[in-house]
Amino acid sequence: MKTYQDWLKVSDRSESERMSFIKTAINEFKGSKDYRIAIDAEEYYAGRNPTITRYEKLIIDGLGQLTNDRYSANHKIASKIFNRIITQENLVLTGNGITWNDEATKEALGKNFDRQIYKAVRSALVEKAAYGFWNLDHLEIYEFREFYAFVDEEDGSIKAGIRFWQIDSTKPLRATMFEMDGYTDYIWDKDHPEGSVFHEKRAYIIDVSSTEAEGEIDSEGRNYSSFPVVPLYGNEMKQSELVGQRAKIDAFDLISSGYVNDEDDANFLYWTISNAGGMDSSDLLQMLDELRKVQATTVDGDGQLQAHTIEVPFSGREAVLERLEKQIYRDAMALNTYDIAAGAVTATQIEASYEPLNQKLDLLEMQLLDFIDGILELAGIDDMPSFTRSKLVNRTEEIQALMTTATIMDSDYLVEKIMTLLGDQNLVAEVLKKRDSDDIQRLSYGDDEGEELPPSEAE
């Protein structure tokens, strides 16, 4: 794999040598183990299990040759269990957005910053990493499979990188070379198979001076104090969350597919033929073909043809599937909400169920905070982010617990917490206003013209 030091050796050479290096680096990256895992992980995330997609049933035919099984069913049923685990982990941590100490921070980072963070975490969990490019006043996210980072051999930091994209092999290949002192755009197409410069190197920040009368007067380029692309890793091992889970997901999907295939095959009868010792394998295959095509066949002499059905085993497969699903969730430190939904559970039980997920999210949050700190440094912002995690709750118990503190807690805080539990946090301001209005009416019973208070209140 190419490193930052490898790039430095050609960075000051001719454009043709630079383009040759970039094209070679992209091809090497596409052939790497991490890239192949990222591609497969995206397939699992999309519910297209590549293992069972490539799986084919084989049999030995009447001639003794290995061939595809044309007779038995071969449904390929892929689950989206990997998608559920990743989506849960991402939404629980980032679904409520980021809270800042300074309200001006959110505006300075751009209105879609929270959505970009969600996108970055998704890519980091699924593919291994994501890369955030601070583009003057907003954040852009590049997925692992579209950005080749050049790591410094001395300190392990990223100091250069290639962002590349291509719709398919018949379309142009585009690439942007990010360096410390600017970026250059390249293109490889049918007119320029060896590549050409699409845009000359430019600084990351362009300051333009202008007047209304004269228009643009002067422009000056400048760069950031550090490399403006920051990596986000999904875990401390710097690997896709699919690693370690793939075999279990494959087994789950294959057993599910096998069960459906057996049910399909069971709809077709199998046959026994008496007094047919003279028939060989080719004769039996020919008879089965006739039965499938015309649903009839002939039997010579005193031969008898009897049909039989198959009862597909059920309980054993169900037990294995249930065990595999539990193991997948347990190893992923995820919460299987079906276990909670199966019965009435207390708030304490819900908290205990969330503990493995919370531990994993603590580790993920460390990675995310490092990433956001890098972006804030590039943006010149001094602030501290915090996250409000989403979770299931037993609302009745939670509200009852809050009400027991009513005599010692601030009433505004209680209203906000209760409305949040009810899922109506957007109505907090309206409820507080209504409450204050009702309080004023109770305290000022009567009107401004001196109406007396009722005797009970006057006393």
Side-chain angles (χ1 to χ4, degrees), residues 78-97:
S79 68
K80 297 195 73 172
I81 192 169
F82 185 62
N83 181 295
R84 293 202 305 269
I85 290 171
I86 297 300
T87 300
Q88 178 189 96
E89 188 172 350
N90 196 359
L91 282 178
V92 170
L93 180 60
T94 69
N96 291 317

Side-chain angles (χ1 to χ4, degrees), residues 68-80:
N68 288 335
D69 185 354
R70 298 184 295 110
Y71 301 100
S72 59
N74 190 19
H75 300 291
K76 300 175 180 181
I77 302 173
S79 68
K80 297 195 73 172

Side-chain angles (χ1 to χ4, degrees), residues 210-238:
S210 62
T211 64
E212 185 175 349
E214 301 181 33
E216 182 178 327
I217 299 175
D218 189 23
S219 62
E220 181 180 354
R222 56 190 175 92
N223 295 300
Y224 297 98
S225 58
S226 59
F227 189 58
V229 179
V230 182
L232 169 65
Y233 298 102
N235 49 64
E236 58 187 1
M237 284 84 71
K238 299 181 179 180

Side-chain angles (χ1 to χ4, degrees), residues 287-459:
M287 185 201 73
L288 286 175
D289 278 338
E290 290 178 353
L291 285 171
R292 289 180 181 274
K293 293 175 183 177
V294 299
Q295 299 183 349
T297 188
T298 58
V299 180
D300 295 333
D302 296 329
Q304 294 182 352
L305 185 67
Q306 293 182 324
H308 303 269
T309 59
I310 302 174
E311 183 177 348
V312 179
F314 174 77
S315 58
R317 280 193 172 115
E318 282 296 308
V320 173
L321 286 174
E322 183 178 349
R323 183 169 182 173
L324 277 172
E325 186 175 25
K326 287 182 177 179
Q327 186 175 353
I328 291 170
Y329 273 96
R330 184 173 61 247
D331 291 349
M333 300 178 73
L335 173 68
N336 192 341
T337 55
Y338 298 106
D339 293 339
I340 296 177
V345 293
T346 65
T348 302
Q349 289 173 313
I350 294 176
E351 287 289 344
S353 299
Y354 266 94
E355 191 55 29
L357 178 60
N358 282 329
Q359 292 175 358
K360 186 174 184 181
L361 292 181
D362 288 341
L363 297 175
L364 176 60
E365 189 171 330
M366 293 180 190
Q367 301 288 340
L368 186 53
L369 289 175
D370 288 343
F371 172 76
I372 293 176
D373 285 345
I375 298 299
L376 293 179
E377 182 179 350
L378 291 167
I381 298 174
D382 184 14
D383 205 341
M384 178 64 69
S386 60
F387 301 90
T388 302
R389 297 182 186 178
S390 302
K391 68 174 184 177
L392 297 173
V393 295
N394 185 318
R395 291 180 179 176
T396 302
E397 285 193 27
E398 293 282 347
I399 292 175
Q400 288 175 347
L402 283 171
M403 294 307 296
T404 60
T405 67
T407 58
I408 60 174
M409 297 298 294
D410 178 74
S411 62
D412 288 4
Y413 171 80
L414 288 175
V415 170
E416 183 176 352
K417 292 293 291 183
I418 290 173
M419 296 302 293
T420 300
L421 285 172
L422 295 174
D424 294 327
Q425 56 265 39
N426 295 330
L427 300 177
V428 170
E430 182 179 339
V431 172
L432 290 174
K433 182 178 178 181
K434 178 74 165 55
R435 183 206 61 184
D436 294 340
S437 175
D438 291 344
D439 288 345
I440 292 173
Q441 289 180 8
R442 284 194 297 268
L443 291 173
S444 58
Y445 183 89
D447 55 28
D448 295 338
E449 296 179 357
E451 182 177 336
E452 296 182 358
L453 294 172
S456 61
E457 295 189 25
E459 294 175 359

